[in-house]
Amino acid sequence: MKLKSLTIAIALAATSVSTFAADKQEGFYIGAFGDYYDASWENMSAQAGLDVNESTGFGLEAGYRFSDFWSARLEYADLDFNAFDKAAGNRNNIDGSRFGIDALYHLDGGPFYGLVGIKSMDVVDDNTFLNAGVGYRHFITDNLFANVETAVYQGIDKGYTDVGAKLGINYFFGQNTMPAEPVQPAPEVVEVMVEPVDSDNDNILDADDKCPNTPMTDAVDGTGCTLYEDKEVTVSLLVTFPNDKAAVSQRYLDDIDQVASFLKDYPDTTVLLEGHTSAVGKATYNKMLSKKRADSVAKQLIADGIASDRITTVGLGEERLKNEANTAAAHAENRRVEAHIKTIKTVKVLR
């Protein structure tokens, strides 16, 4: 009685559902199910004193979905009934089978359905039943679904009224017809005119400027980045000496310091100090004196922090006279040490 009441409650709940989205349309399906059947057959005529009660079993079914709303199926169930033989006073199991056909109506084409059918039951003797019930199916994947249902069975031959329930798994060969997500209209694109901006005033718009905030003094290329160029930078040194002297006068120390600073700013540079004399005196002596003059300037650069391996000295004596006149002024001009240093420096191009 409890199972029958539950069946009626499920039927009322299912028939109250009004709208469900369609889940499948036409297609063939096959499946297997577990079965429970609650019978209350007393004193069966084929075997007097035999009461047949509930059964558990399994079965196979094959169906076809004709439309969103209608489908039909064939089923076969192998049953195992619990029976009591009053004459013998013992309980035993009786094998049975059920074969039949059902028509299914899918409520609004959705997962809930109602069913009616006719079944032939072979248990001790043959009986014919009409059945009606409700069910629910749930698609696990696009083609695999599980279903659960319950039904009332009304005997035609004997007048039995029974209930049954099924839990099955099925494979569907049809096509998915779940409604597609509504296509949302593309958002309206409103073009807003934006005034071009040149934040650093380099005549390159911000949208194209790969080097924002370049200084106002810098010339820039087409991407807004500072332009650079290679520029030759030089420093020269001229130290003069009294006749027959090689010591560096104090008045040349600042000039030598400037050369030292240049060498420090450009550490890849070296310096060649060329010593000279006038044409007065012997050439061999003048050669030696000119080298001493160059070495004196070198010692001062070393004292200013320049490494000795960056300095080369040479004594040229009277080989390269700056003034060939034979006068005191010309001789004074020729007594000297000279140096000329140059290098390439990468510098900004100014606007």
Side-chain angles (χ1 to χ4, degrees):
M1 290 298 294
K2 290 182 179 180
L3 182 58
K4 293 180 179 180
S5 300
L6 178 61
T7 303
I8 296 171
I10 294 174
L12 291 174
T15 53
S16 67
V17 179
S18 61
T19 304
F20 295 95
D23 59 350
K24 293 286 177 181
Q25 57 178 192
E26 299 178 13
F28 174 74
Y29 66 91
I30 58 175
F33 60 85
D35 188 89
Y36 175 81
Y37 191 90
D38 187 10
S40 297
W41 306 341
E42 297 180 354
N43 298 315
M44 295 187 66
S45 59
Q47 186 175 338
L50 181 66
D51 294 345
V52 177
N53 300 308
E54 70 277 358
S55 161
T56 57
F58 64 92
L60 301 173
E61 63 183 23
Y64 189 83
R65 183 89 175 244
F66 298 99
S67 67
D68 285 347
F69 300 99
W70 289 102
S71 61
R73 73 183 179 199
L74 296 172
E75 72 158 25
Y76 171 80
D78 185 81
L79 306 175
D80 185 15
F81 283 91
N82 182 11
F84 179 68
D85 188 342
K86 294 177 181 179
N90 60 10
R91 293 186 177 276
N92 52 43
N93 292 333
I94 298 177
D95 291 334
S97 62
R98 185 179 73 236
F99 180 80
I101 185 170
D102 292 303
L104 286 69
Y105 178 76
H106 302 269
L107 301 180
D108 284 330
F112 286 95
Y113 57 90
L115 63 96
V116 294
I118 184 169
K119 303 293 166 60
S120 174
M121 197 89 68
D122 182 10
V123 184
V124 181
D125 57 7
D126 292 334
N127 293 285
T128 303
F129 288 81
L130 296 177
N131 64 287
V134 294
Y136 174 82
R137 62 173 50 173
H138 174 73
F139 276 88
I140 302 168
T141 67
D142 284 346
N143 294 89
L144 189 68
F145 70 86
N147 69 310
V148 60
E149 64 184 55
T150 183
V152 177
Y153 291 78
Q154 180 60 50
I156 298 176
D157 303 321
K158 302 292 193 301
Y160 299 137
T161 301
D162 304 325
V163 293
K166 294 168 57 176
L167 177 63
I169 189 76
N170 299 263
Y171 187 84
F172 188 83
F173 295 92
Q175 297 298 316
N176 193 350
T177 59
M178 289 295 291
E181 290 290 332
V183 178
Q184 297 294 330
E188 182 181 356
V189 178
V190 179
E191 294 187 2
V192 179
M193 295 300 296
V194 179
E195 193 70 24
V197 178
D198 178 14
S199 301
D200 53 6
N201 297 314
D202 59 0
N203 295 320
I204 304 297
L205 297 179
D206 286 359
D208 303 319
D209 198 337
K210 294 183 179 179
C211 300
N213 304 317
T214 50
M216 287 287 295
T217 55
D218 294 359
V220 297
D221 59 18
T223 63
C225 297
T226 299
L227 280 173
Y228 291 87
E229 64 178 354
D230 291 338
K231 182 179 180 180
E232 185 179 87
V233 289
T234 63
V235 65
S236 297
L237 177 66
L238 175 62
V239 179
T240 60
F241 296 84
N243 183 44
D244 201 21
K245 301 294 183 184
V248 177
S249 173
Q250 290 287 328
R251 67 190 181 99
Y252 292 110
L253 295 183
D254 288 343
D255 295 338
I256 295 173
D257 286 344
Q258 289 181 10
V259 173
S261 295
F262 186 92
L263 292 169
K264 292 175 183 178
D265 290 341
Y266 303 99
D268 293 333
T269 57
T270 59
V271 60
L272 172 63
L273 299 174
E274 297 178 345
H276 302 270
T277 65
S278 65
V280 178
K282 293 183 178 181
T284 53
Y285 178 80
N286 287 339
K287 193 93 166 178
M288 178 193 64
L289 179 60
S290 65
K291 180 69 164 62
K292 289 178 63 177
R293 287 171 176 171
D295 290 341
S296 295
V297 176
K299 289 178 182 178
Q300 188 59 46
L301 285 173
I302 294 171
D304 285 344
I306 304 303
S308 60
D309 60 359
R310 297 177 63 192
I311 304 170
T312 302
T313 60
V314 61
L316 299 174
E318 56 190 74
E319 295 175 6
R320 297 181 188 174
L321 298 176
K322 198 170 185 179
N323 190 333
E324 295 184 358
N326 188 17
T327 63
H331 297 330
E333 189 175 354
N334 289 327
R335 296 189 296 265
R336 71 198 189 276
V337 170
E338 291 188 64
H340 303 281
I341 311 169
K342 65 181 178 179
T343 189
I344 301 298
K345 177 182 180 182
T346 301
V347 296
K348 293 181 178 181
V349 178
L350 301 180
R351 293 191 192 182

